[in-house]
Amino acid sequence: MVKRKQIEELYYIRAIAALGILIIHGTGVFAVNSTFNSKAMYLGIFFNQFFRFGSPVFMMISGLVLFYNYRSREEFNVKKFYTKKVLYILIPYIIWSSIYFLYRCYISGISFSINQIPILFKEIIFGTAFPHLYFIVLIFQFYIILPLLIRYLTKPMQENPIKLFFITFILQAMILIYGRYFKNYNTAGIVGYFNLYYWKSIFGWFFYFIAGGILGLNYEKIENYIERNIKLLFIVYIGVMCVYVGQVYYNIFLNGGRDYYDNFGSIRPETMIYTLATMPILMWVTKRMVGKFNIIKTFGTYSLGIYFAHPIVLEEIKYKIFSKFPAALGYSRLSSLLILVFLGIIFTFLLVLLIATLKNRWLLLGRIPKFNIKLRRNTTLVNIND
């Protein structure tokens, strides 16, 4: 594989995306369970919706990195690629799935037994050991079909990127509009399975992956376009963001409640437009962060570990702190929202950095450099584009 120049701003984009996902999971309970019309509800909904670009941006970066590096079948070493993915993503995923399975047993007061191993195995296969783990199974679906994508899409991505972009955008929009407005959960057969699981399969995310691939193969051209048109792009972003978040507030007040708030997750057609408006802004902003804000770069370096670890940290904060001080901490308090999010970020980051000091850190965090406080500048030597 040809060694290409690192895209340094990807560290920072990954950090912001990982931070956004953590904030989504930290604020969701406030958006849904706080007293209606409370400040905690308003702020919880805002942050929960504002950072909805997190998972789509992660998917775009995955496509970007892979197509940035593997531009032809000759550059794609099948054995080396899948060996690395199994060692540094699949094995950590299996371990974290087991940890979350045992954690669920612990908080439910259930003793683990050998009879539960088939259940654990099924949950590992389908990414259901904890809600966020489906995304790793989703990423692996793209890894599996990557050789085909490289063979048949690399040339169109380079020669007709706009045409391919709009084709995939329209196809993805059709699927997401169907899934949001027309699907029937009671349908049987193949369509029934599609209705239930499309959102955690390549059918619900292929646009972001392909769009990321187009970005990776045409990065310099797109980057130059963003630099020339940043004022217009920023105005578009502000407008799209206001409509995207405002839509949720409008529907909640129109219906007088939040009973259907789950409908406003990341896998909806509006998120496609919101992500497309957000990505250029992230690229422009993070390019100016390169060489600065080392703590953010470190956060991005260990973003996979942060993704794996943050739910268990948030749950422990809720169980060990919030439940012990119900009079002072509750889901209708603005201060409680800020405390949960702040402690979640700090404790997750510290936990991951602690694991990153270990010799066998790859088992939990993947292929990342060892964290050493005295050698903090050397924590980003691993090629993030690999």
Side-chain angles (χ1 to χ4, degrees), residues 71-225:
R71 305 190 178 200
S72 66
R73 285 180 291 172
E74 291 72 27
E75 291 186 4
F76 185 71
N77 186 317
V78 175
K79 182 178 179 180
K80 183 178 179 181
F81 175 81
Y82 287 112
T83 298
K84 287 195 299 183
K85 297 309 177 187
V86 168
L87 285 176
Y88 301 124
I89 296 183
L90 183 59
I91 290 178
Y93 162 74
I94 292 172
I95 294 174
W96 278 107
S97 293
S98 303
I99 290 172
Y100 278 104
F101 185 86
L102 294 173
Y103 180 70
R104 283 167 41 218
C105 292
Y106 164 70
I107 61 177
S108 302
I110 301 173
S111 298
F112 180 78
S113 68
I114 195 170
N115 294 329
Q116 293 173 298
I117 291 179
I119 300 175
L120 172 59
F121 180 76
K122 181 179 178 181
E123 293 191 354
I124 289 173
I125 295 295
F126 291 99
T128 55
F130 220 74
H132 71 305
L133 293 174
Y134 83 93
F135 199 78
I136 307 300
V137 176
L138 173 62
I139 288 288
F140 256 88
Q141 293 175 45
F142 284 101
Y143 291 160
I144 291 171
I145 66 171
L146 183 60
L148 293 176
L149 297 179
I150 292 173
R151 179 174 182 175
Y152 294 109
L153 291 185
T154 299
K155 187 175 180 180
M157 283 180 177
Q158 293 174 314
E159 297 180 356
N160 299 291
I162 297 176
K163 180 180 179 180
L164 181 62
F165 174 87
F166 279 108
I167 289 174
T168 54
F169 179 89
I170 292 170
L171 290 175
Q172 186 72 88
M174 291 172 62
I175 291 174
L176 296 186
I177 290 171
Y178 164 80
R180 181 165 173 79
Y181 298 106
F182 300 104
K183 70 181 178 183
N184 183 351
Y185 284 110
N186 296 321
T187 304
I190 295 177
V191 176
Y193 279 106
F194 180 85
N195 290 347
L196 287 172
Y197 302 114
Y198 78 95
W199 63 274
K200 57 171 62 178
S201 74
I202 58 176
F203 297 104
W205 294 84
F206 65 84
F207 167 72
Y208 299 115
F209 191 83
I210 300 303
I214 293 172
L215 178 57
L217 289 170
N218 303 275
Y219 195 85
E220 187 174 341
K221 293 179 182 178
I222 295 174
E223 186 179 47
N224 291 335
Y225 176 84

Side-chain angles (χ1 to χ4, degrees), residues 8-20:
E8 292 287 338
E9 52 265 35
L10 289 186
Y11 288 108
Y12 299 89
I13 296 176
R14 278 181 170 166
I16 294 171
L19 181 66

